Amino acid sequence: MSKQVTSAYIHIPFCKSICFYCDFCKMYYDASLVDEYLDALEREIQGTYRGEKLKTIYIGGGTPSLLSYDQLSRLLRILSCLRQDEKVEYTIECNVESVTKEKLALLSQYGVNRLSFGIESTNPKLLQRIGRTHTMQQVLQVLQMAQELGFKNINVDLMYALPFETMEEVQQDLEELVKLPITHISTYGLILEEHTKFFIDQVPTIDSDLESSMYSLICAYLKDHGFEHYEISNFAKKGYPSRHNCNYWNNGEYYGFGLGAAGYLDHVRYSNTRSIHSYLLGKVRLEEEQLTKEDEMSYELLLGLRKIEGVSKEQFFNKYQKKMEEVFDYQHHLNDQTLIDEGGFVRIPEDQLYVSNEILLTFVGGSKDE
Ligand code: SF4
């Protein structure tokens, strides 16, 4: 039985400069390449999309806001073939240096109602250290512009555990961020990924105890300042969790369009090529994984445990006609309190969230029957 597809992700892989930590699918902006890319993206969407009404659309990157006004306008026209639910959450990732009032007005005209800014830090010294070039003054100006144009749902990304970063610097970032007119904060602890400048330069990572203290500080501070902690790394004002990302954590299906994009359709998880050459030639799909019911149950648990509320045992049963405790052996986690079974949900307790990856890893490889 097919699930209802309600979300689409669209990848725009172009950036003006490359951040030192970045492992995303991205390349330098080139105006004529963008035009060719939009042609190929249109072909992919037209050949894949089946006309479902979508509840969430997410344009990510790269830096989608870097597109020129005309390119952005073309992208939005291409995406207007995606039918939107009347309460659609329509997000675009932006950087403050490339956003203009005209581009924001255009986005609003096409129904984009959520902006996500890669701020990463409010500290000029740290921004320079990670290869980002914006200033807080630009952040404040752009957020004011967005507010004036009626954008009410705004995310900012915050990075921590940066090389040589101190607790005081994390505290300062938090103090500055909560003053901004935003509804959501996504946090990222630095990971040294291969092929990044940081990895090649072998920059020193900070001590894991310090990183754990930073995470605890972030959780406590944001909670005290009106942000609900709803997923391991995500915090939202009441009513503003990212519905697009919640669909991922609820193991819902979604389209993934564009270079390097991942999607999940008809029980198949797929990823697109990261080669721009192949993508422009229409050789879009790189890998496909046909999921069994066991695989889907594992994903349901692994993704669902990222949510602070955890996995609903009732919903699990309704989806798979099997009780979660019969499928997965997690009694030992309950015994040592690395999982809690309470109120119909199984969840990771707050004091274990920092080591959640270790807990989740114990379920990789699947269910009791495998
Ligand atoms: S972090 Fe974002 S802006 Fe920086 S290079 Fe990567 S995709 Fe581009």
Side-chain angles (χ1 to χ4, degrees):
M1 194 184 75
S2 280
K3 296 190 206 172
Q4 176 71 20
V5 183
T6 56
S7 294
Y9 173 83
I10 302 98
H11 194 71
I12 304 296
F14 303 100
C15 291
K16 189 167 166 239
S17 56
I18 304 298
C19 306
F20 300 163
Y21 55 85
C22 180
D23 181 39
F24 299 132
C25 176
K26 80 289 174 186
M27 64 195 66
Y28 284 107
Y29 176 87
D30 172 303
S32 62
L33 191 58
V34 173
D35 291 338
E36 282 184 68
Y37 182 76
L38 293 177
D39 292 341
L41 181 68
E42 184 168 28
R43 286 193 294 272
E44 186 199 354
I45 294 175
Q46 285 178 351
T48 317
Y49 176 57
R50 301 173 302 204
E52 298 92 335
K53 222 178 215 192
L54 301 178
K55 292 184 177 167
T56 74
I57 301 173
Y58 193 107
I59 308 173
T63 312
S65 60
L66 191 58
L67 267 50
S68 70
Y69 182 91
D70 288 345
Q71 290 165 339
L72 193 60
S73 174
R74 165 116 201 269
L75 171 66
L76 293 164
R77 276 200 310 276
I78 292 170
L79 299 184
S80 63
C81 74
L82 303 175
R83 290 174 61 224
Q84 298 178 14
D85 183 89
E86 49 281 12
K87 289 193 183 141
V88 70
E89 176 192 273
Y90 194 164
T91 305
I92 186 166
E93 288 180 357
C94 305
N95 78 355
V96 292
E97 294 150 291
S98 56
V99 159
T100 61
K101 199 166 188 174
E102 290 69 31
K103 287 185 192 175
L104 286 178
L106 178 71
L107 291 166
S108 170
Q109 194 189 316
Y110 276 88
V112 175
N113 52 21
R114 185 170 184 271
L115 304 174
S116 179
F117 289 99
I119 305 279
E120 318 309 349
S121 173
T122 64
N123 180 332
K125 216 170 59 188
L126 285 175
L127 286 172
Q128 197 185 24
R129 207 175 289 158
I130 63 176
R132 305 231 29 162
T133 49
H134 63 261
T135 64
M136 263 319 266
Q137 199 190 353
Q138 285 173 312
V139 170
L140 295 172
Q141 275 169 358
V142 166
L143 289 180
Q144 191 184 341
M145 216 174 352
Q147 266 189 310
E148 284 166 8
L149 285 164
F151 287 96
K152 294 189 178 66
N153 195 357
I154 299 177
N155 170 64
V156 299
D157 294 340
L158 166 69
M159 288 191 77
Y160 66 99
L162 299 172
F164 309 107
E165 192 175 20
T166 63
M167 286 293 279
E168 291 69 31
E169 286 171 326
V170 176
Q171 170 88 23
Q172 281 161 12
D173 267 346
L174 291 166
E175 286 170 9
E176 293 304 317
L177 286 189
V178 299
K179 288 186 211 156
L180 302 176
I182 56 174
T183 48
H184 194 282
I185 300 179
S186 294
T187 67
Y188 301 86
L190 176 71
I191 298 173
L192 280 197
E193 303 280 6
E194 264 184 84
H195 311 302
T196 61
K197 178 167 170 29
F198 270 171
F199 185 86
I200 293 160
D201 294 349
Q202 281 298 297
V203 295
T205 49
I206 66 164
D207 175 81
S208 68
D209 286 344
L210 178 58
E211 180 168 351
S212 159
S213 303
M214 288 175 173
Y215 179 74
S216 302
L217 171 66
I218 290 169
C219 296
Y221 191 93
L222 292 181
K223 201 169 169 186
D224 282 351
H225 289 78
F227 287 85
E228 187 197 346
H229 189 184
Y230 72 100
E231 191 269 347
I232 294 173
S233 308
N234 284 277
F235 303 81
K237 293 258 175 79
K238 197 172 167 43
Y240 289 97
S242 159
R243 288 199 277 128
H244 184 79
N245 288 342
C246 284
N247 181 56
Y248 295 149
W249 301 316
N250 289 329
N251 199 23
E253 295 200 342
Y254 54 93
Y255 288 102
F257 298 121
L259 192 73
Y264 179 26
L265 286 181
D266 298 336
H267 311 278
V268 173
R269 286 195 178 265
Y270 65 86
S271 54
N272 283 353
T273 178
R274 278 186 160 219
S275 153
I276 185 76
H277 185 67
S278 300
Y279 189 77
L280 295 181
L281 287 173
K283 295 178 192 157
V284 172
R285 217 41 81 76
L286 178 68
E287 282 175 341
E288 293 189 349
E289 182 195 9
Q290 175 74 51
L291 302 186
T292 62
K293 185 173 171 183
E294 281 66 35
D295 295 331
E296 296 202 327
M297 289 190 292
S298 291
Y299 273 111
E300 188 85 17
L301 185 77
L302 285 167
L303 294 167
L305 282 175
R306 296 193 58 89
K307 296 178 290 178
I308 302 303
E309 69 173 17
V311 185
S312 158
K313 295 206 287 185
E314 189 185 331
Q315 270 178 31
F316 187 94
F317 184 80
N318 291 343
K319 261 175 143 170
Y320 303 104
Q321 291 74 51
K322 286 195 174 195
K323 287 187 176 172
M324 223 164 84
E325 55 270 39
E326 286 168 6
V327 180
F328 299 103
D329 184 7
Y330 56 85
Q331 187 57 45
H332 59 293
H333 282 302
L334 300 178
N335 295 343
D336 65 15
Q337 295 182 352
T338 46
L339 286 182
I340 292 180
D341 185 343
E342 197 175 58
F345 286 79
V346 174
R347 63 182 168 85
I348 300 177
E350 230 168 285
D351 64 348
Q352 299 290 322
L353 288 173
Y354 180 69
V355 290
S356 54
N357 273 344
E358 288 161 38
I359 301 167
L360 296 176
L361 275 174
T362 64
F363 293 107
V364 174
S367 55
K368 280 178 179 176
D369 297 338
E370 283 182 298

